């Protein structure tokens, strides 16, 4: 046999020989504490409603939401991100159900805090899209454009009622210019200095949101391209990041996760605050659908996708598999 250079002295395969060896030398580790469970609570239902495009995910009643929170705590999940789904008759042009202290999201926040206290980081989506009859993330002008500054006034109100309802963390997700600074001021001025902001810093206008619109009963017509980011752009993300940090973001997020691992890595390399990534509904649905067809190994694909997000730099991952994966990780 011809010997080339250092061969056969260097054999990387030596570190892949057994599961124990591979586990010992693994560079990236996924832990239940890295995981956050997104959950939907729907007004006016007496039993949970399955989401057809997201097998295994449901719109919760208050009772099943409480149970989901308890299960997440038991599995070691760190947080739960709540989304409210109001009845259609509660929707209007200004999304007033989103700032009603008795709106479904605020009721859900109180229920979860009553159930688990501080054992789970309770987070709330801070956006108007679930509550507007037009489905956009903000207030519209007479000619149908999203009015950035008028929307910020509504976000300030939302921040206050969500904090009053018990949110540990609010997540402004509408991609309005200046949203983090306005939310921070609103929280500080109403005695909520300890409530954190998880900024949806990088949120792309993505085709992968499709199943989510069923999950929240979206009324959207058109698209959100005038405020969510263009998938073609990368430098723009770092500009958004600098602005959010300057305005007081405690944590930052990249959304979606899988199609934007390059952006996630750039953000993680640039900051000294915790970085989250959201494995969104379309990412979830693709794996579940392919697995249902027998085309891929479901469990292996889930773990590989999450490990890739973690490897790219996310300390926190919002995933609909959070509780399931956390339980799997804790098994001997």
């Amino acid at each position: 046999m011809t010997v080339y250079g250092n061969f056969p002295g260097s054999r990387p395969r030596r570190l892949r020989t057994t599961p124990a060896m591979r586990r010992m030398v693994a560079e990236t580790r996924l832990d239940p504490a890295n995981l956050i469970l997104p959950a939907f609570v729907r007004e006016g239902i007496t039993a949970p409603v399955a989401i057809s495009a997201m097998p295994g995910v449901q719109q919760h009643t208050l009772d099943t939401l409480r149970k989901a929170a308890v299960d997440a705590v038991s599995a070691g999940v760190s947080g739960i991100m709540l989304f409210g789904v109001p009845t259609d008759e509660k929707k209007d042009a200004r999304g007033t159900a989103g700032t009603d202290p008795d709106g479904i999201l605020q009721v859900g926040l109180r229920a979860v805090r009553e159930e688990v206290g501080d054992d789970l980081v309770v987070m709330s989506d801070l956006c108007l899209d679930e509550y507007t009859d037009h489905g956009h993330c903000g207030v519209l002008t007479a000619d149908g454009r999203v009015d950035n500054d008028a929307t910020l006034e509504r976000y300030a109100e939302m921040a206050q009622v969500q904090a009053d309802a018990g949110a540990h963390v609010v997540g402004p997700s509408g991609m309005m210019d200046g949203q983090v600074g306005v939310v921070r001021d609103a929280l500080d001025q109403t005695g909520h200095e300890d409530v954190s902001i998880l900024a949806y810093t990088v949120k792309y206008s993505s085709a992968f949101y499709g199943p989510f619109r069923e999950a929240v009963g979206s009324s959207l017509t058109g698209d959100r391209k005038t405020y969510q980011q263009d998938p073609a752009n990368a430098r723009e993300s770092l500009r958004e990041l600098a602005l959010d940090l300057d305005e007081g973001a405690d944590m930052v997020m990249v959304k979606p996760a899988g199609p934007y691992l390059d952006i996630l890595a750039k953000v993680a390399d640039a900051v000294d605050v915790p970085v989250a990534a959201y494995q969104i509904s379309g990412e979830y649905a693709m794996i579940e659908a392919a697995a249902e067809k027998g085309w891929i190994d479901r469990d292996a694909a889930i773990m590989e996708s999450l490990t890739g997000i973690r490897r790219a730099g996310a300390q926190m991952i919002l995933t609909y598999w959070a509780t399931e994966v956390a339980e799997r990780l804790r098994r001997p």
Side-chain angles (χ1 to χ4, degrees):
M1 181 177 64
T2 304
V3 176
Y4 297 96
N6 204 28
F7 180 84
S10 294
R11 291 183 182 267
R13 287 182 57 191
R14 292 183 185 125
L15 301 184
R16 305 171 193 157
T17 52
T18 68
M21 176 68 79
R22 293 191 294 274
R23 184 173 63 249
M24 183 179 74
V25 302
E27 299 173 27
T28 302
R29 300 191 189 280
L30 191 63
D31 186 87
N34 299 128
L35 304 177
I36 297 167
L37 176 68
F40 308 99
V41 57
R42 178 172 168 178
E43 188 173 27
I45 57 174
T46 57
V49 177
I51 300 168
S52 64
M54 301 174 68
V57 181
Q58 58 191 12
Q59 296 169 326
H60 286 287
T61 67
L62 290 174
D63 286 341
T64 63
L65 179 65
R66 287 175 181 269
K67 183 180 184 304
V70 170
D71 290 346
V73 171
S74 297
V77 170
S78 283
I80 186 168
M81 173 68 80
L82 298 188
F83 297 84
V85 185
T87 58
D88 285 344
E89 55 266 26
K90 295 283 184 70
K91 296 181 181 182
D92 60 27
R94 293 181 57 78
T96 53
T99 51
D100 180 352
D102 294 318
I104 184 59
L105 179 54
Q106 285 67 254
V107 172
L109 287 166
R110 287 195 291 271
V112 172
R113 282 300 302 271
E114 288 169 3
E115 193 69 34
V116 300
D118 294 334
D119 292 341
L120 196 63
V121 179
V122 179
M123 305 177 169
S124 56
D125 178 64
L126 198 163
C127 195
L128 289 172
D129 60 321
E130 293 101 319
Y131 311 101
T132 55
D133 53 12
H134 48 72
H136 279 286
C137 297
V139 179
L140 301 185
T141 62
D143 61 356
R145 294 179 298 107
V146 174
D147 186 325
N148 190 94
D149 295 358
T151 299
L152 294 181
E153 295 178 14
R154 301 288 293 124
Y155 286 4
E157 297 176 53
M158 292 189 82
Q160 179 179 343
V161 297
Q162 290 179 3
D164 287 344
H168 294 106
V169 178
V170 297
S173 62
M175 293 301 290
M176 296 298 119
D177 294 338
Q179 64 184 12
V180 172
V182 166
V183 167
R184 183 72 269 159
D185 286 346
L187 291 170
D188 291 350
Q189 291 170 14
T190 55
H192 295 297
E193 296 90 348
D194 290 339
V195 173
S196 301
I197 296 176
L198 170 57
Y200 283 61
T201 293
V202 181
K203 185 177 181 183
Y204 282 95
S205 180
S206 172
F208 293 99
Y209 294 132
F212 181 87
R213 293 179 183 173
E214 177 190 348
V216 296
S218 174
S219 302
L220 180 68
T221 55
D223 58 52
R224 299 184 173 123
K225 294 181 185 296
T226 64
Y227 45 102
Q228 294 178 352
Q229 289 175 234
D230 185 340
N233 293 348
R235 288 192 301 271
E236 180 181 38
S237 299
L238 298 181
R239 183 183 183 196
E240 293 277 3
L241 175 65
L243 291 167
D244 282 356
L245 292 174
D246 187 59
E247 291 172 24
D250 299 290
M251 301 170 277
V252 296
M253 185 195 293
V254 175
K255 180 180 182 181
Y260 298 96
L261 295 181
D262 60 325
I263 306 300
L264 174 57
K266 288 177 185 291
V267 169
D269 286 345
V271 302
D272 56 4
V273 300
V275 176
Y278 197 146
Q279 185 181 54
I280 66 169
S281 59
E283 298 175 72
Y284 176 95
M286 285 193 301
I287 289 177
E288 290 287 351
E292 190 275 331
K293 290 283 190 181
W295 294 339
I296 60 173
D297 180 324
R298 175 185 181 274
D299 292 354
I302 291 170
M303 298 306 290
E304 184 176 339
S305 68
L306 292 170
T307 300
I309 296 166
R310 181 85 177 89
R311 187 185 63 244
Q315 294 163 265
M316 304 168 292
I317 305 173
L318 287 84
T319 176
Y320 300 99
W321 291 302
T323 301
E324 174 189 338
V325 168
E327 289 172 345
R328 190 184 310 165
L329 290 170
R330 296 184 77 171
R331 292 180 198 136

